[in-house]
Amino acid sequence: MQLTIKSNADLVRQGLQDLSSQPVKIGRRKIFDAMNRITREMEGYPGERPGQRYIRTGNLGASWQVRRLEDGYQIYNNASHKGRRYARYVVGDAYGQGQAWMHSGRWQLFRDVVEDEIDKLPEEVANELDLVARRLLPQGGD
C-alpha cells in the first residue's frame, strides 16, 4: 500500500516514493507530521457490528508505519493473515479502490483520510505537490 496525495488544486496521485527523485521544496517536518496524523487516524477501528463474532486482533491498526525515504516519506501497512496482506481490502488502496464490500461504509477509506490531511497543509505545500505531480503524471493522465 502506498500513499496517495491529492491537494485542493485537484491533481496529485503519486506515492511519496515517486517524489524522491523530484526537487520538492517542502519542509520535511510538515510532511512527516501530516503522515503521522494519517497513521494515527487509520489506527482507529469502527464500532463492532451487532452480533459480531469475529474477534479483533488489532493487527491492522498496529501495522501502520511511516517510512523515511531519501527525499520524502511513505505510509505503509503490512498487516497480514496467513501470509496474505489485507489492509487494502479493509481501507482501500491509494486510489480509493479495492475495499471489500463488507467493509464499505464502516471503515474509512485510506484515500479519504489522506485527502483530508493534505487539505490541512499550508497552501504553499499543496501547490508544490501539485507542481511535482504535474511533472510526474503522463500527459492526459489524472
Side-chain angles (χ1 to χ4, degrees), residues 1-5 13 92-97 110-111:
M1 176 176 291
Q2 69 181 17
L3 171 65
T4 296
I5 296 176
R13 279 192 189 168
D93 61 17
Y95 298 98
Q97 304 296 312
F110 176 62
R111 178 185 173 101

Side-chain angles (χ1 to χ4, degrees), residues 1-4 38-46 59-64 75-79 85-115:
M1 176 176 291
Q2 69 181 17
L3 171 65
T4 296
I38 291 166
T39 58
R40 280 194 305 273
E41 179 71 21
M42 294 306 300
E43 289 171 353
Y45 283 62
N59 187 39
L60 179 70
S63 296
W64 290 102
I75 291 179
Y76 183 78
N77 189 303
N78 64 350
R85 291 187 179 164
Y86 62 85
R88 74 177 305 240
Y89 302 112
V90 180
V91 299
D93 61 17
Y95 298 98
Q97 304 296 312
Q99 187 178 44
W101 65 268
M102 75 280 287
H103 301 304
S104 180
R106 296 192 66 241
W107 289 83
Q108 56 189 339
L109 284 172
F110 176 62
R111 178 185 173 101
D112 292 346
V113 173
V114 170
E115 287 180 354

Side-chain angles (χ1 to χ4, degrees), residues 118-134:
I118 295 303
D119 286 345
K120 297 174 189 172
L121 289 174
E123 186 176 341
E124 62 272 11
V125 173
N127 289 340
E128 182 65 24
L129 288 172
D130 278 337
L131 291 173
V132 170
R134 289 175 202 273

Side-chain angles (χ1 to χ4, degrees), residues 11-27:
L11 186 38
V12 185
R13 279 192 189 168
Q14 293 290 324
L16 278 183
Q17 65 272 26
D18 293 342
L19 297 178
S20 65
S21 65
Q22 298 297 313
V24 182
K25 298 171 187 157
I26 301 171

